């Protein structure tokens, strides 16, 4: 697929070759916006749906949008896929109806989506709860369901393909949505919303900085490219029988639109553009075997989206800031999407707002400017969850990567400098035994399941008596004793910690 706009972005900016998301999209969005590892949010595997009664942010955690808005006066916006949860508003004592999210009499859409973008620092938002992949197939503007006052504007969409003004809209999971829903128009809608926001900002707040989280539907399923892009360029059918490739073509056109907009408004030297992804390349099975014409999303990397191998979470990242950052250079040091938080804070001249935010974020601003590898992260953890199962985790330390397969109790070790495709497992070589132990210990300390305390310790038990117990005492009556004896959470996190469901496999 020819991508002249993304190629131009790379030529005019910095290409980062060792940047990592999580293996899946929803937790990566939290990582990016919070600067934290995914398990520091409400749910270790991530919060995905507006039916979960909350978003992924906990307590005092502040998004980067909130940090920039409150700390440096930024005008903040998000357009596109949200995928961070929320709370459907209900009538008093109402019960959420997942099957009828729009039409249920139990819901009150005169109220905004609870725990939505407007609640985590975004002044302006135009989002869908889960992109184009599932319902409700409707946009929310600044938290409010669009056209909520007109029940006739909505319908139930069955699974199928529908001819719409801009192309063939595809529904993979049946559900309610607006009658005008068109997955093929999704990305072009976002471009227009972004243009309107920037134009309004320059007219009304020309002296203030702005921050935009622009989150495409590409290239998530369903692959439903438009017949033509906004400039008249054909898209669908350019790669026959390969809509995934046509979506990549459209994505490049979108990038071109954003770059052109920035140049047209003469804000190029005041605007940093970051291009990246929320997970690794697609599983070929999800494109019906048609990652064709020799195309493979992850290149030579092992694995794909959802996996702990590099193909699951090593993602592209390009950063362009005309006149400020070098152009046409590479940066090969280990980075995480979480590091963008501290980097933007430093760029804006502020500190992260509290200890709950940006916990796992290390600024790379100086590295981007100079290429000098001082003060950068030296390790990075990653965690793989499959539905409610904590399947595996990994730790990078320099060029070495250890993987712990929790279900099979097996270990893998790779030297990525020599074996980027992770084909030669070094874990059986006794020369690496101490390194593996050290890396697994470090992984436990940053993960959702720190090790339980060894031996016995003093507590006041549920009857008010002083006792010396070990973690096995909490395990005997976990729910009751962990609730009544607060020390259990600190001393026995795999049993009493809030992620104990996932940690049981490690105990």
């Amino acid at each position: 697929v020819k991508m002249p706009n993304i190629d131009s972005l790379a030529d005019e900016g910095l290409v980062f070759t060792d940047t990592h998301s999580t293996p899946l999209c929803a937790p990566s969005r939290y990582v990016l916006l919070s600067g934290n590892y995914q398990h520091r949010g409400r749910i270790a595997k991530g919060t995905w749906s507006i039916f979960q009664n909350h978003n992924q942010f906990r307590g005092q955690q502040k998004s980067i949008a909130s940090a920039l808005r409150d700390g440096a006066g930024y005008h903040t916006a998000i357009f596109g896929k949200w995928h961070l949860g929320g709370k459907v508003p209900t009538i008093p004592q109402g019960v959420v109806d997942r099957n009828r999210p729009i039409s249920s009499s139990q819901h009150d859409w005169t109220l905004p989506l609870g725990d939505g973008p407007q609640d985590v620092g975004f002044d302006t938002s135009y989002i869908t709860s889960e992109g184009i992949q599932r319902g409700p197939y409707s946009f929310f503007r600044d938290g409010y369901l669009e056209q909520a006052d007109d029940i006739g504007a909505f319908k139930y969409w069955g699974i199928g393909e529908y001819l719409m003004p801009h192309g063939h809209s595809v529904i993979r999971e049946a559900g309610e949505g607006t009658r005008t829903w068109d997955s093929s128009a999704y990305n072009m809608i976002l471009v227009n919303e972004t243009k309107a926001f920037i134009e309004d900002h320059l007219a009304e707040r020309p002296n203030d900085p702005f921050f935009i989280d622009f989150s495409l539907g590409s290239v998530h399923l369903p692959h439903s490219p438009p017949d033509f892009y906004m400039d008249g360029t054909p898209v669908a059918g350019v790669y026959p029988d390969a809509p995934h490739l046509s979506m990549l073509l459209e994505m490049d056109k979108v990038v071109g639109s954003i770059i052109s907009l920035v140049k047209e408004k003469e804000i190029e030297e005041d605007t940093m553009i970051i291009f990246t992804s929320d997970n690794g390349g697609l599983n070929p099975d999800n494109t019906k075997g048609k990652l064709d014409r020799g195309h493979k999303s992850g290149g030579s990397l092992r694995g794909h989206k959802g996996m702990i191998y590099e193909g699951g979470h090593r993602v592209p990242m390009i950063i362009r800031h005309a006149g400020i950052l070098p152009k046409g250079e590479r940066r090969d040091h280990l980075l995480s999407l979480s590091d963008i938080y501290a980097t933007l804070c430093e760029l804006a001249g502020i500190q992260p707002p509290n200890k709950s935010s940006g916990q796992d974020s290390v600024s790379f601003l100086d590295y981007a400017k100079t290429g000098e590898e001082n003060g950068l992260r030296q390790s990075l953890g990653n965690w793989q969850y499959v539905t409610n199962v904590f399947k595996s985790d990994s730790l990078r330390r320099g060029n070495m990567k250890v993987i712990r397969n929790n279900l099979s109790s097996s270990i893998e070790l790779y030297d990525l400098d020599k074996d980027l495709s992770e084909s030669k497992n070094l874990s059986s070589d006794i020369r690496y035994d101490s390194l593996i132990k050290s890396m697994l210990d470090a992984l436990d300390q940053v993960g959702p399941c720190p090790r339980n305390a060894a031996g016995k310790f003093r507590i006041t038990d549920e009857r008010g008596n002083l006792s010396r117990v070990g973690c096995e005492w909490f395990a005997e009556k976990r729910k009751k004793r962990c609730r009544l004896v607060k020390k259990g959470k600190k001393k026995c996190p795999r049993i009493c910690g809030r992620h104990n469901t996932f940690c049981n496999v490690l105990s």
Side-chain angles (χ1 to χ4, degrees):
V1 179
K2 293 181 179 179
M3 295 187 170
N5 294 300
I6 294 175
D7 288 343
S8 176
L9 188 69
D11 290 341
E12 297 176 0
L14 293 170
V15 174
F16 295 81
T17 64
D18 198 0
T19 303
H20 296 262
S21 63
T22 76
L24 290 172
C25 43
S28 292
R29 291 163 191 272
Y30 168 77
V31 168
L32 173 67
L33 290 177
S34 71
N36 297 336
Y37 281 139
Q38 65 185 80
H39 50 267
R40 302 202 195 281
R42 289 181 182 268
I43 302 176
K45 67 174 183 177
T47 302
W48 303 65
S49 167
I50 61 173
F51 304 114
Q52 290 182 265
N53 212 36
H54 54 71
N55 63 31
Q56 180 68 351
F57 289 84
R58 299 183 70 232
Q60 299 302 309
Q61 292 176 357
K62 302 292 185 182
S63 75
I64 185 60
S66 180
L68 293 173
R69 184 188 67 181
D70 299 342
Y74 275 68
H75 189 193
T76 58
I78 181 170
F79 302 114
K81 183 177 178 180
W82 170 239
H83 225 187
L84 281 165
K87 182 178 181 180
V88 173
T90 63
I91 62 174
Q93 286 78 53
V95 178
V96 172
D97 186 342
R98 290 172 175 259
N99 295 319
R100 297 190 301 149
I102 295 173
S103 64
S104 173
S105 61
Q106 298 288 301
H107 303 168
D108 183 0
W109 286 113
T110 65
L111 301 174
L113 175 70
D115 259 11
Q118 73 281 1
D119 296 314
V120 295
F122 288 101
D123 299 315
T124 297
S125 60
Y126 194 67
I127 58 104
T128 55
S129 61
E130 298 189 56
I132 59 176
Q133 64 202 74
R134 62 178 58 90
Y137 299 107
S138 302
F139 279 95
F140 294 79
R141 186 178 294 280
D142 300 334
Y144 288 90
L145 177 66
E146 200 165 50
Q147 298 180 280
D149 59 348
D150 180 10
I151 193 62
F154 301 93
K155 64 172 286 185
Y156 184 86
W157 288 99
I159 295 173
E161 190 172 301
Y162 300 84
L163 181 60
M164 300 299 285
H166 293 282
H168 287 80
S169 180
V170 179
I171 302 291
R172 294 182 71 237
E173 292 189 18
E176 293 183 330
T178 55
R179 290 184 177 276
T180 56
W181 174 262
D182 182 357
S183 62
S184 71
Y186 190 85
N187 296 322
M188 295 186 290
I189 291 171
L190 304 186
V191 171
N192 288 331
E193 288 290 327
T194 301
K195 180 180 179 181
F197 172 82
I198 291 177
E199 289 177 344
D200 289 346
H201 173 86
L202 294 176
E204 298 171 8
R205 298 177 57 175
N207 297 319
D208 291 336
F210 65 79
F211 169 79
I212 298 174
D213 183 339
F214 184 97
S215 187
L216 288 163
S218 302
V219 291
H220 201 288
L221 293 170
H223 293 149
S224 51
D227 291 338
F228 299 92
Y229 191 64
M230 292 185 292
D231 63 0
T233 302
V235 179
V238 171
Y239 297 93
D241 299 320
H244 172 242
L245 303 188
S246 295
M247 291 294 285
L248 293 175
L249 170 62
E250 188 207 13
M251 180 180 68
D252 184 74
K253 297 294 292 182
V254 169
V255 171
S257 292
I258 298 301
I259 294 173
S260 295
L261 177 62
V262 168
K263 291 181 178 180
E264 174 192 325
K265 300 303 178 183
E266 298 181 348
I267 54 175
E268 191 175 4
E269 293 188 359
D270 297 321
T271 305
M272 174 183 283
I273 298 174
I274 303 175
F275 174 84
T276 189
S277 177
D278 58 0
N279 49 244
L282 293 180
N283 181 347
D285 292 342
N286 288 340
T287 60
K288 299 179 181 179
K290 293 177 180 176
L291 287 180
D292 39 23
R293 304 169 189 267
H295 179 80
K296 185 174 183 292
S297 293
S300 64
L301 300 179
R302 180 178 178 181
H304 50 73
K305 175 181 177 177
M307 299 183 73
I308 202 68
Y309 298 109
E310 293 294 285
H313 50 80
R314 186 184 284 241
V315 295
M317 186 166 74
I318 304 170
I319 302 182
R320 176 184 182 273
H321 195 170
I324 303 298
L325 296 180
K327 62 180 182 178
E329 295 185 9
R330 285 173 43 133
R331 299 287 186 265
D332 299 325
H333 193 87
L334 174 67
L335 299 175
S336 165
L337 292 189
S338 65
D339 296 332
I340 292 174
Y341 193 108
T343 302
L344 294 184
C345 283
E346 184 178 357
L347 183 70
I350 61 174
Q351 294 293 321
N354 54 46
K355 292 182 179 180
S356 297
S357 310
Q359 295 180 63
D360 306 297
S361 186
V362 181
S363 175
F364 58 89
L365 184 60
D366 287 342
Y367 175 56
K369 290 179 177 179
T370 68
E372 295 182 6
E373 299 185 9
N374 299 318
L376 299 174
R377 69 165 58 250
Q378 299 303 309
S379 63
L380 177 67
N382 224 317
W383 295 265
Q384 179 193 18
Y385 299 89
V386 179
T387 58
N388 289 320
V389 177
F390 182 12
K391 188 174 181 181
S392 63
D393 48 359
S394 70
L395 186 85
R396 272 285 302 280
R397 181 184 288 170
N399 59 304
M400 303 303 292
K401 176 181 177 181
V402 68
I403 296 174
R404 175 169 51 192
N405 299 296
N406 296 318
L407 301 186
S408 62
S409 299
S410 62
I411 301 296
E412 300 172 52
L413 182 71
Y414 299 101
D415 182 343
L416 298 183
D417 278 354
K418 300 176 181 178
D419 180 26
L420 188 58
S421 297
E422 296 170 287
S423 60
K424 185 178 180 180
N425 183 3
L426 304 173
S427 64
S428 61
D429 189 330
I430 61 173
R431 293 176 297 175
Y432 295 106
D433 285 355
S434 61
L435 175 64
I436 291 173
K437 182 181 184 306
S438 172
M439 292 179 73
L440 291 178
D441 286 345
L443 181 58
D444 283 335
Q445 293 312 305
V446 297
C449 307
R451 291 188 181 278
N452 293 331
K456 294 187 175 183
F457 45 89
R458 188 179 299 275
I459 64 157
T460 301
D461 66 22
E462 68 266 39
R463 295 186 179 87
N465 301 319
L466 287 173
S467 304
R468 287 183 61 80
V469 302
C471 288
E472 64 277 2
W473 180 83
F474 285 93
E476 290 171 358
K477 298 180 180 179
R478 186 185 63 80
K479 288 186 178 180
K480 178 180 179 181
R481 288 175 174 174
C482 290
R483 176 172 54 85
L484 294 174
V485 183
K486 302 303 181 186
K487 189 175 283 190
K489 185 175 181 180
K490 180 179 180 181
K491 292 287 190 179
C492 309
R494 297 193 184 192
I495 297 170
C496 296
R498 63 190 183 90
H499 297 314
N500 65 79
T501 301
F502 294 116
C503 299
N504 287 339
V505 70
L506 302 178
S507 298

